[in-house]
Structure formats: C-alpha cells, structure tokens
Amino acid sequence: MLPRSAYIDSPDVVARRLLGKLLVRSTESATLIARIVETEAYLGTDDPAAHAFAGRTARTEVLFGAPGHAYVYTIYGIYACLNVSCEPEGHAGCVLIRALEPIAGLPEMTANRGLAAGARPAALTAGPGRLCRALDITRAEFNGIDLTDASSTLQARDDGFAVRDRDLAITGRIGVNKASERPLRFALMGHPCVSKGKFHKL
DNA sequence: GGAGCGATGTCCT
DNA sequence: GGACATCGCTCCG
C-alpha cells in the first residue's frame, strides 16, 4: 500500500512517483490490477488549467482535502477521469492518471470496455476515459474515496517495480487549452500503453 | 494513418 | 449559455 506520505509532495513530484505503481480495483467477482504508466500534474489554485483554479467549490472540495484521495469527474458528459489528490490538506494539487498497463483481470477489463475478447491489452487502459471504463470507476461511486485505506475497493500499491531515471519521459500537457506548454506530463518512455507523442528524456 | 466531428453531464458565469 | 483534463466513428488519403 502506498502510504499517505507518498502524496503529500507537490503534484509534479507525486506524478513521477506514481509511475510504475499499481492500481488495484476490487469488484465482487474479480481483482483488477494495472500499472500506472502515464500521469499528468495539476498544480491547484495557481494553475489555470486545474479545476481548483476557480477556487474551492462543492465540486473541487476533494482536491482541497487530505492527500491520497480519488477525485473523479465527468468530462464531455460521457467519460470519467481519475485523479489523486496530493499536497497537504488545504492545498489543491492533484495528479491525473492518463494510462495504465493491464496486469490482472484482463477479461473483465475487456468486457467493461465493451470490446471483443482478445483485444490488444494496450487498447484497454490507454487514456483517462478508457481506464476508468476498464476498471469500472464512476464519479458517483469513487469520488472522494481514500486510496490508502485497506478496505477501499480502489487502492494504490507499490510492488517494488523499479523505474529508472532513463525510462522517464516528460512533455507538455495535452487536451488542455491553458498553460499546456508546462512540462507536467510524465510517462514511461517507449511503453506500448503510452500514447505516442513528443516525449523528451527527463 | 490522420483530421474532423458529434455525443452529452456537470459546473460556473 | 458555454466550456470542458475524451473517445470512437467517419471520411479521406
């Protein structure tokens, strides 16, 4: 289990730290496991691209709370996106989970995505909307849950997977209109589940 | 393979 | 009323 202390740092630090860690989603019938391979940092009230930029509202309340909690929101009316709150309580930084590598429970993820059996694993969880569908993460059920709680049906764990510095890639944010030039998107270089783009070596 | 576009909930002005 | 941290389908090459 990743302890709460792992989330207390600034979003860019936590975004790098989360690469290579596991997301564990427990359902009634299966345990779905996937490794985090792409993240994006949002810097809170100082970041024009962040939801928290507009201030503390009912919607962004989770972001201002204790670190290590899930912030799930709906985008374009259809898709859910999963973030993890970081920084000390009262500060609104967060990290968006952009892509995962499926490790266990691939049949369930494939079914959740509505894909045919045998679909490419890289297609299951590459993209923030896709990975929420694959892991059955909804705003109604998961917004505000504690990822460090052993009883949570969504947890973050460290299985000892080592990420070398030379495997880290960094680039500007995508899908964002404001402050997109900031180098706040992190990924494992060359990983098949990471969308292609102009990543630089860190 | 890549560009264009529609679907559609929730929040804020 | 408009914007939005997306995706998958279409059409065109």
Side-chain angles (χ1 to χ4, degrees):
Chain A
M1 186 76 66
L2 269 185
R4 192 170 315 286
S5 58
Y7 303 98
I8 292 180
D9 294 296
S10 64
D12 57 319
V13 171
V14 176
R16 265 171 285 195
R17 179 174 295 148
L18 287 178
L19 289 177
K21 300 302 187 290
L22 297 180
L23 276 183
V24 181
R25 165 78 169 105
S26 307
T27 70
E28 288 187 7
S29 55
T31 301
L32 312 180
I33 303 177
R35 192 179 308 284
I36 299 170
V37 298
E38 185 178 345
T39 59
E40 195 162 317
Y42 287 87
L43 304 182
T45 48
D46 296 329
D47 182 356
H51 287 181
F53 184 69
R56 192 166 185 157
T57 67
R59 175 209 199 187
T60 60
E61 186 62 29
V62 174
L63 294 173
F64 290 87
H69 288 250
Y71 170 62
V72 183
Y73 68 93
T74 307
I75 189 65
Y76 298 113
I78 307 176
Y79 300 102
C81 292
L82 172 66
N83 299 250
V84 183
S85 66
C86 50
E87 297 192 294
E89 189 152 359
H91 295 261
C94 69
V95 174
L96 170 68
I97 309 299
R98 292 201 59 90
L100 306 172
E101 172 194 4
I103 301 289
L106 273 68
E108 288 80 5
M109 294 186 200
T110 304
N112 288 342
R113 287 289 318 284
L115 299 175
R120 275 176 58 243
L124 293 177
T125 52
R130 290 171 175 174
L131 68 91
C132 284
R133 278 204 62 186
L135 297 184
D136 192 21
I137 294 171
T138 59
R139 171 170 146 85
E141 192 176 349
F142 285 92
N143 190 43
I145 74 155
D146 187 353
L147 297 178
T148 70
D149 187 333
S151 67
S152 291
T153 54
L154 182 65
Q155 302 168 14
R157 291 189 198 163
D158 184 353
D159 68 340
F161 182 85
V163 176
R164 298 167 300 185
D165 278 351
R166 67 173 183 273
D167 295 331
L168 274 177
I170 183 170
T171 191
R173 297 186 292 197
I174 59 174
V176 177
N177 292 320
K178 308 159 201 161
S180 61
E181 75 288 353
R182 297 190 193 180
L184 292 172
R185 183 177 168 219
F186 305 93
L188 297 184
M189 184 74 106
H191 193 284
C193 296
V194 174
S195 54
K196 288 171 185 151
K198 289 195 172 181
F199 281 100
H200 313 278
K201 276 198 158 187
L202 194 60

